[in-house]
Amino acid sequence: MKTKIGCLIISVCVLTSLFFSACQDPESSASVDQDRIYVIYELFYNQNTDITKGRATFRFGNAIGTPLFLATGSEVSCDGELMSKFLDAVTIYVVDFAGKKDSATFKWIDTDGKEFFNTVHMTEIDYVDSITAIPNDAAFEFFWDGDALVDGENVVLLIDAVGNASQLFNETKTGSNSIILSKAQLEKLPEGDATLYMDKKHTVDLQEATSAGGTIFSTYRPTNKVVEIQ
């Protein structure tokens, strides 16, 4: 259950893309105008597993357009490692690396032979050691260990309490180094141990893209932390 809940905090844009594409059959990238292919790249490091994943998805027109699988002659790689299709239904292309990668460059070759290179860097975050308990009867300011947010960054915190109760919090304000956990949400958490999942997402502009555009971001997840809800 903990692993499944942790997956809830993957990026909103990917979730949206998967939701809308779930009702659409994937098509070959060769069947569309190559300049209308929208690409989503992610570099995701999970300290719990010490694995960095490269992910790429392709859509027609925009982030919620028809999912595309890469036709013969088209391929995507991450730091020189060819990415393979993971799920036929949503055509996610993935590759794994041992340890943390500080940055990575994705290379996509379309069916016309045109190459697109895009690089993203990882920004780290960690838990403050002094946070061992969180109240459920008052608002709480949750500080993290790491740099304050800059443009294009956000932090998401998921609190998974006993009885499968969970609450999700998000901070996007530039300059922030904490998240205000509202009393209204904390009141929904029962007393006892809870597991914290925290992701820091760093989004930058694509350096090379089609006219449809796309997005590229890194996600850093520190080792999950157990606290007491009291």
Side-chain angles (χ1 to χ4, degrees):
M1 177 58 70
K2 300 293 185 184
T3 300
K4 293 180 180 178
I5 292 177
C7 293
L8 290 174
I9 45 181
I10 61 177
S11 72
V12 173
C13 70
V14 173
L15 284 174
T16 302
S17 175
L18 298 185
F19 174 79
F20 281 96
S21 64
C23 299
Q24 305 176 68
D25 292 330
E27 297 182 6
S28 169
S29 65
S31 67
V32 302
D33 180 350
Q34 299 300 285
D35 195 45
R36 296 298 302 149
I37 296 178
Y38 184 99
V39 190
I40 302 169
Y41 301 106
E42 180 187 17
L43 188 68
F44 173 66
Y45 175 67
N46 187 344
Q47 194 175 39
N48 296 279
T49 59
D50 195 30
I51 291 175
T52 301
K53 289 182 176 290
R55 296 169 175 159
T57 58
F58 300 85
R59 300 287 181 264
F60 177 65
N62 54 52
I64 60 174
T66 302
L68 302 172
F69 61 85
L70 298 182
T72 301
S74 180
E75 64 181 35
V76 61
S77 60
C78 182
D79 275 359
E81 295 291 331
L82 191 64
M83 302 172 71
S84 58
K85 187 167 59 174
F86 176 60
L87 292 174
D88 286 336
V90 292
T91 58
I92 301 175
Y93 288 80
V94 300
V95 65
D96 290 350
F97 300 93
K100 179 178 73 70
K101 292 185 73 67
D102 293 323
S103 65
T105 298
F106 293 86
K107 176 185 176 182
W108 168 48
I109 306 174
D110 68 16
T111 57
D112 294 331
K114 186 173 182 179
E115 299 180 348
F116 300 84
F117 293 87
N118 287 281
T119 299
V120 68
H121 299 271
M122 191 72 67
T123 60
E124 298 186 12
I125 193 172
D126 207 344
Y127 294 97
V128 176
D129 290 339
S130 60
I131 296 180
T132 59
I134 296 175
N136 64 359
D137 61 353
F140 182 79
E141 185 169 11
F142 182 94
F143 288 90
W144 62 74
D145 184 7
D147 294 336
L149 297 181
V150 300
D151 288 344
E153 292 184 340
N154 70 286
V155 171
V156 178
L157 175 70
L158 178 75
I159 303 179
D160 177 31
V162 296
N164 295 330
S166 62
Q167 289 295 312
L168 190 66
F169 305 87
N170 184 38
E171 181 56 65
T172 62
K173 184 179 178 181
T174 300
S176 296
N177 59 1
S178 65
I179 305 176
I180 299 297
L181 312 184
S182 70
K183 179 182 177 182
Q185 286 184 264
L186 292 177
E187 286 178 333
K188 298 177 182 179
L189 299 175
E191 294 182 355
D193 286 345
T195 301
L196 305 183
Y197 300 82
M198 182 168 61
D199 284 356
K200 185 176 185 181
K201 176 182 166 185
H202 175 67
T203 304
V204 297
D205 293 333
L206 290 181
Q207 296 95 54
E208 298 183 1
T210 67
S211 64
T215 186
I216 184 169
F217 59 95
S218 65
T219 305
Y220 185 98
R221 179 177 298 174
T223 303
N224 303 334
K225 183 179 179 71
V226 176
V227 299
E228 183 182 1
I229 303 299
Q230 58 185 29

